[in-house]
Amino acid sequence: RKEVEQDPGPFNVPEGATVAFNCTYSNSASQSFFWYRQDCRKEPKLLMSVYSSGNEDGRFTAQLNRASQYISLLIRDSKLSDSATYLCAVKGGSGGGADGLTFGKGTHLIIQP
Amino acid sequence: NAGVMQNPRHLVRRRGQEARLRCSPMKGHSHVYWYRQLPEEGLKFMVYLQKENIIDESGMPKERFSAEFPKEGPSILRIQQVVRGDSAAYFCASSPYGREQYFGPGTRLTVT
């Protein structure tokens, strides 16, 4: 089983719709969780940290389910500019040592006008 | 407040040459991480450094790769005797407290 798994997509979603992604992780000792977005051939940009109680930042909501070992990202009222690859990252997974991040391969999102 | 800076942005080396990649963390950040992204692959952790110390190099290939973060100046990732398989994007990230990591624009290394 891979350390961090994501559905690669692509997810084709009409503008204004709500879309959700999940990410599963294998190491139950993982400590911290993040969502990044990466545009083609650019650096990952931190979208949000994921907290146990769930957290929201504008149109974005992140949830953590430790029992089932997955995190989710919900995007409401999607915009054309949301088109990107969304990377799930876990700290404390064995793929990143104790301090590095272990990334999934990403979910590709395409928002269609 | 400038972000994480990396240079060069693009680097071309012939097989057998050395590659030196530089990273200046965000102001006030003392934690530096290096990652590699191979074509069509995910980001892979390589090494974690603080000033003058390598904290975790569990993701570094055992040979030809080294990293440092001196007291003064940028962090350096050094690849000796490059091979075609080293062609990748190398990203540096920095963090103020060791939690959220902020990435630089990357160095794209091409080995010919």
Side-chain angles (χ1 to χ4, degrees), chain B residues 30-94:
Chain B
S30 59
H31 303 252
V32 167
Y33 309 80
W34 285 94
Y35 293 83
R36 176 165 68 173
Q37 189 169 34
L38 292 165
E40 308 304 322
E41 292 289 324
L43 282 151
K44 301 290 185 193
F45 167 76
M46 299 180 75
V47 62
Y48 162 44
L49 310 102
Q50 295 183 28
K51 282 286 188 184
E52 300 185 276
N53 287 301
I54 296 173
I55 308 300
D56 181 351
E57 57 182 346
S58 58
M60 285 279 267
K62 294 286 182 271
E63 297 176 352
R64 303 186 297 108
F65 286 72
S66 62
E68 62 177 9
F69 189 14
K71 188 176 180 182
E72 302 290 338
S75 175
I76 307 284
L77 179 68
R78 183 180 176 210
I79 311 172
Q80 295 178 289
Q81 298 176 322
V82 296
V83 301
R84 287 227 171 101
D86 296 332
S87 295
Y90 291 83
F91 291 100
C92 167
S94 73

Side-chain angles (χ1 to χ4, degrees), chain A residues 32 36 41 43 49 91 101, chain B residues 35 98-101 104 108:
Chain A
S32 308
Y36 284 80
R41 296 183 63 79
E43 74 272 26
S49 301
K91 184 177 177 185
L101 296 175
Chain B
Y35 293 83
R99 186 178 155 82
E100 284 86 358
Q101 296 180 21
R108 276 162 184 80

Side-chain angles (χ1 to χ4, degrees), chain A residues 58-72:
Chain A
R59 297 182 293 108
F60 298 84
T61 300
Q63 298 275 357
L64 167 63
N65 185 319
R66 283 193 185 272
S68 300
Q69 293 182 209
Y70 75 84
I71 67 173
S72 63

Side-chain angles (χ1 to χ4, degrees), chain A residues 44-81:
Chain A
K45 289 192 190 303
L46 180 63
L47 191 60
M48 56 200 305
S49 301
V50 187
Y51 299 107
S52 297
S53 54
N55 47 299
E56 188 174 306
D57 183 0
R59 297 182 293 108
F60 298 84
T61 300
Q63 298 275 357
L64 167 63
N65 185 319
R66 283 193 185 272
S68 300
Q69 293 182 209
Y70 75 84
I71 67 173
S72 63
L73 178 68
L74 181 82
I75 306 175
R76 288 182 299 279
D77 187 24
S78 53
K79 313 287 185 195
L80 294 175
S81 58

Side-chain angles (χ1 to χ4, degrees), chain A residues 6-110:
Chain A
Q6 296 182 252
D7 182 341
F11 283 46
N12 288 283
V13 174
E15 193 176 5
T18 295
V19 60
F21 316 129
N22 278 349
C23 161
T24 58
Y25 60 95
S26 61
N27 188 346
S28 60
S30 298
Q31 305 151 2
S32 308
F33 308 88
F34 307 91
W35 283 104
Y36 284 80
R37 69 171 278 168
Q38 186 173 31
D39 296 282
C40 186
R41 296 183 63 79
K42 296 201 171 174
E43 74 272 26
K45 289 192 190 303
L46 180 63
L47 191 60
M48 56 200 305
S49 301
V50 187
Y51 299 107
S52 297
S53 54
N55 47 299
E56 188 174 306
D57 183 0
R59 297 182 293 108
F60 298 84
T61 300
Q63 298 275 357
L64 167 63
N65 185 319
R66 283 193 185 272
S68 300
Q69 293 182 209
Y70 75 84
I71 67 173
S72 63
L73 178 68
L74 181 82
I75 306 175
R76 288 182 299 279
D77 187 24
S78 53
K79 313 287 185 195
L80 294 175
S81 58
D82 293 334
S83 297
T85 297
Y86 288 83
L87 305 175
C88 168
V90 173
K91 184 177 177 185
S94 60
D99 301 287
L101 296 175
T102 302
F103 282 87
K105 286 193 175 182
T107 295
H108 190 39
L109 174 65
I110 300 169

